[in-house]
Amino acid sequence: MISINAISLLLRKVIFVLILQVFLVSCQAFVQKNQRLGPVSRRFETANDGIDRAQKIMYNQQSRKREAMRYQIIAAEANEPLARRIEEKFPDRFTFHATEWNKFPDGTDNIEIGGFSPQNLISGEHVLFLASFHDNDVTLSQFQVIICLLQSFIESLTVVLPFSPVGTMERVTKEGQVATAATYAHMFSSLPSCGRPTRLMVYDLHTLQNRFYLHGNSVASLHTAIPLLKQKLEVANIDCVAFPDDGAAKRFSAMFQDMDMEIIVCGKTRGEGDQRTVVIQDGDAKGRNIVIVDDLVQTGGTLFESGKVLKEAGATSVNAFVSHAVFPDNSWKRFNKGGDRECFDKFWVTNSIPTVTDKLPVPDGIFEVLDLMDLIINDLDHFSST
């Protein structure tokens, strides 16, 4: 007879074998499941790769289409040299038609837009208008030309206004003051329609919310000249970007994230009475080659004070960049060699205001004018400065 111990031992072996079989079956099922999922996962990866490729193909097709679009150029008198250079570099895409900006003896406008005679080469075409609102007289004349173009059955109108001179006048502190940023926006918004909105291209608009003042028949297309500066920084041994105030830092600092740059933020503090002084609020200037970045310069008091503070803090060199060199009353002379505000090794500006930058003593001074032309064409086609 089989003893109870033998039966117990046999049962334990049977249970062990059953547990082992269950474990092996589970492992096999797990392996088979992963083998089934593997191709699915790879199919998802292949699908994602396919979507990326399709998007790239679509973008390239759109880019080729945009880059093949032809434009008829009409330009303000101050921007006629820019128009001629665009036509010379891209003769297959751009045709410039000179406009006669004359006056009658009583001082009113006597304007004849180019391209309408002896044959009409403007109607039915995409038109690029290069504007320059450097004073009220020429601004009104250009609005008249813009209205006439929109009433001439053109296909589309793009207005390139590199510098908006009313960008700093977007609010009032007392009744009766005129917020000219708002009134200009009303004039643009009230333009006739050619079937689609007028595209208004502006560079480094001082107050970004001004774009929302436009409505109706005009849409703001905002761009930046910072890519031109970044090209210079790569060869100028600049390792630090400084901002004269917190507003400039919030606006521009993110544009330098792809570069290994120290960031410095300056700002004004209130001293005795109403006196304000510029101090370094964040960052270390010692041993740095610095460029101060802002959107525009007028008399440049804050820019100068920032440069002086950075040099006192041990900066090796201090330079400046602004997109728009307003410089009323030739105030640029104070920054040039021998001026009472001579503190910058290099002062970069763009030619957004050619009536000013054409006068700068580039060969014999600290100024260097960065040309917007290629950036304008790229932004015209791709709607982006990056």
Side-chain angles (χ1 to χ4, degrees):
M1 293 182 65
I2 302 175
S3 65
I4 295 176
N5 291 335
I7 294 174
S8 176
L9 179 62
L10 180 62
L11 288 173
R12 286 198 296 269
K13 288 183 178 180
V14 171
I15 293 171
F16 175 77
V17 171
L18 291 174
I19 292 173
L20 182 61
Q21 288 179 341
V22 171
F23 175 75
L24 292 174
V25 171
S26 299
C27 289
Q28 185 177 10
F30 178 78
V31 171
Q32 290 175 347
K33 181 179 180 181
N34 280 279
Q35 287 176 343
R36 290 195 302 272
L37 289 177
V40 174
S41 177
R42 286 192 292 274
R43 284 199 296 272
F44 276 123
E45 292 177 0
T46 303
N48 289 335
D49 291 342
I51 292 173
D52 290 341
R53 285 196 295 270
Q55 289 177 339
K56 290 179 181 178
I57 291 172
M58 185 180 300
Y59 176 79
N60 290 334
Q61 289 175 342
Q62 291 175 343
S63 295
R64 285 194 293 269
K65 180 180 177 181
R66 293 168 182 165
E67 292 167 3
M69 188 177 294
R70 289 186 51 83
Y71 289 89
Q72 308 299 319
I73 301 180
I74 305 297
E77 191 170 9
N79 271 329
E80 285 187 356
L82 172 61
R84 296 184 190 280
R85 289 191 293 113
I86 291 175
E87 181 185 44
E88 182 179 353
K89 186 168 183 178
F90 306 97
D92 295 333
R93 294 192 57 199
F94 298 94
T95 303
F96 169 58
H97 305 279
T99 294
E100 296 182 11
W101 301 89
N102 298 320
K103 298 283 187 183
F104 287 110
D106 61 0
T108 56
D109 283 321
N110 178 17
I111 304 170
E112 183 176 348
I113 305 172
F116 283 94
S117 64
Q119 290 84 30
N120 186 344
L121 304 176
I122 303 299
S123 297
E125 297 291 315
H126 299 284
V127 176
L128 180 67
F129 185 83
L130 303 180
S132 178
F133 288 1
H134 55 274
D135 67 47
N136 287 342
D137 184 17
V138 300
T139 298
L140 180 59
S141 300
Q142 289 169 68
F143 265 111
Q144 296 187 93
V145 169
I146 289 170
I147 291 170
C148 183
L149 288 170
L150 288 167
Q151 293 175 332
S152 299
F153 306 103
I154 59 175
E155 181 67 22
S156 71
L157 177 65
T158 299
V159 177
V160 179
L161 180 64
F163 171 58
S164 175
V166 296
T168 58
M169 194 57 187
E170 84 288 357
R171 68 187 74 182
V172 297
T173 57
K174 60 182 179 180
E175 290 299 320
Q177 283 186 318
V178 178
T180 49
T183 56
Y184 272 52
H186 277 291
M187 289 191 287
F188 271 112
S189 301
S190 301
L191 290 173
S193 173
C194 65
R196 64 181 71 185
T198 294
R199 179 185 177 189
L200 177 61
M201 294 177 59
V202 182
Y203 282 82
D204 292 313
L205 185 64
H206 181 73
T207 309
L208 295 178
Q209 61 264 32
N210 285 3
R211 69 186 299 179
F212 302 113
Y213 291 1
L214 292 169
H215 56 84
N217 292 334
S218 294
V219 177
S221 181
L222 302 189
H223 306 278
T224 180
I226 293 296
L228 297 179
L229 171 64
K230 292 172 74 172
Q231 293 173 8
K232 291 295 179 180
L233 300 186
E234 294 174 355
V235 297
N237 198 32
I238 302 296
D239 58 8
C240 178
V241 178
F243 303 101
D245 52 52
D246 188 58
K250 290 178 179 178
R251 177 173 181 173
F252 292 114
S253 60
M255 299 181 186
F256 298 93
Q257 288 181 346
D258 59 334
M259 306 180 76
D260 185 19
M261 293 282 176
E262 173 78 11
I263 299 296
I264 295 177
V265 181
C266 299
K268 291 183 178 180
T269 60
R270 186 182 298 275
E272 295 182 3
D274 292 331
Q275 185 177 3
R276 291 177 176 268
T277 57
V278 174
V279 298
I280 297 175
Q281 295 180 336
D282 187 36
D284 184 7
K286 187 174 182 180
R288 294 288 185 176
N289 296 303
I290 302 173
V291 59
I292 305 175
V293 175
D294 208 353
D295 62 326
L296 61 85
V297 59
Q298 299 219 30
T299 58
T302 302
L303 204 64
F304 167 69
E305 293 296 332
S306 299
K308 189 170 65 171
V309 166
L310 292 169
K311 282 198 170 182
E312 291 172 352
T316 301
S317 68
V318 179
N319 310 273
F321 167 84
V322 296
S323 298
H324 310 300
V326 184
F327 286 133
D329 300 321
N330 293 323
S331 56
W332 56 265
K333 293 181 179 179
R334 303 182 67 181
F335 290 92
N336 205 29
K337 295 178 180 179
D340 63 325
R341 289 181 173 173
E342 180 186 358
C343 70
F344 297 120
D345 298 277
K346 179 70 72 174
F347 202 134
W348 288 293
V349 300
T350 77
N351 56 347
S352 65
I353 313 175
T355 53
V356 175
T357 54
D358 286 349
K359 301 175 183 177
L360 295 179
V362 173
D364 302 319
I366 64 169
F367 294 99
E368 182 177 351
V369 180
L370 308 183
D371 188 8
L372 284 168
M373 182 182 73
D374 289 334
L375 195 60
I376 289 172
I377 301 305
N378 178 77
D379 294 335
L380 176 67
D381 293 336
H382 303 289
F383 301 89
S384 173
S385 295
T386 56

